[in-house]
Amino acid sequence: MRRSTLAAAGAALALTVALTGCGATSTSGGSASGASTGSSAEAEAPQTPGLNVPVTVGAFEFTALAAADVGTTVGESPLSQTAQGSFYRLDLKIANVGDSPETFIVNYVTLEDADGKTYDADTLATMYAGGDAQTWVAAINPGNAVEGPLLFDLPAGTTPVKLIVRDNLLSGGTAIALG
């Protein structure tokens, strides 16, 4: 039963990844208005929310709770995953603040480093990270929330500076500062 569930989940994820290849990845949220009410630095760089600050994107409210490097292996044999680099764990709460059921999938979030490189979550590592792994895919009814870890396999020495959250596969996303 567990293997067939993982196989079905893997097939669904592969389809999702294939469909996201044409999605927008812009993370800029700048305004094109010519009005200026403060210094040019304020106009160009609005304050980015950080850890433990809820961010609403569409019907979802995302709260990045904690983040840390957790080493090269996650899970317990035979359900474990070894990183190519090192796993970075991000604890995330996703609430449905809309009026209808919504489905969250792990592809709605990415990490970005200081050089602008983006990283997708490792779905198997996320599933093996413990708990019931609700954060890789979850149907969330209005007023409900899920909470759990997302794991990212990052090259050694990479320090992510922000999490980009989306409410669908085609949106540009909103940044949450990690440092």
Side-chain angles (χ1 to χ4, degrees), residues 144-156:
N144 286 341
V146 297
E147 186 176 317
L150 293 175
L151 274 80
F152 297 82
D153 185 349
L154 303 179

Side-chain angles (χ1 to χ4, degrees), residues 39-92:
S39 72
S40 62
E42 287 177 12
E44 291 176 22
Q47 184 67 23
T48 302
L51 293 176
N52 298 304
V53 177
V55 173
T56 301
V57 180
F60 291 121
E61 179 183 82
F62 297 92
T63 308
L65 303 171
D69 186 312
V70 293
T72 59
T73 304
V74 65
E76 294 182 27
S77 185
L79 300 176
S80 63
Q81 182 79 1
T82 300
Q84 295 170 352
S86 184
F87 285 121
Y88 186 82
R89 178 182 170 136
L90 179 87
D91 292 328
L92 187 66

Side-chain angles (χ1 to χ4, degrees), residues 83-179:
Q84 295 170 352
S86 184
F87 285 121
Y88 186 82
R89 178 182 170 136
L90 179 87
D91 292 328
L92 187 66
K93 178 180 177 185
I94 307 116
N96 181 343
V97 295
D99 296 327
S100 61
E102 297 290 338
T103 300
F104 168 80
I105 58 173
V106 72
N107 298 83
Y108 289 178
V109 299
T110 55
L111 285 180
E112 189 173 306
D113 67 15
D115 295 327
K117 294 178 185 174
T118 59
Y119 304 90
D120 289 331
D122 183 314
T123 54
L124 281 178
T126 296
M127 288 174 49
Y128 297 157
D132 54 12
Q134 296 182 79
T135 49
W136 81 275
V137 64
I140 309 170
N141 282 320
N144 286 341
V146 297
E147 186 176 317
L150 293 175
L151 274 80
F152 297 82
D153 185 349
L154 303 179
T158 301
T159 302
V161 295
K162 60 184 163 180
L163 175 71
I164 307 299
V165 295
R166 299 170 184 80
D167 66 336
N168 66 63
L169 297 173
L170 301 176
S171 71
T174 301
I176 297 174
L178 297 175

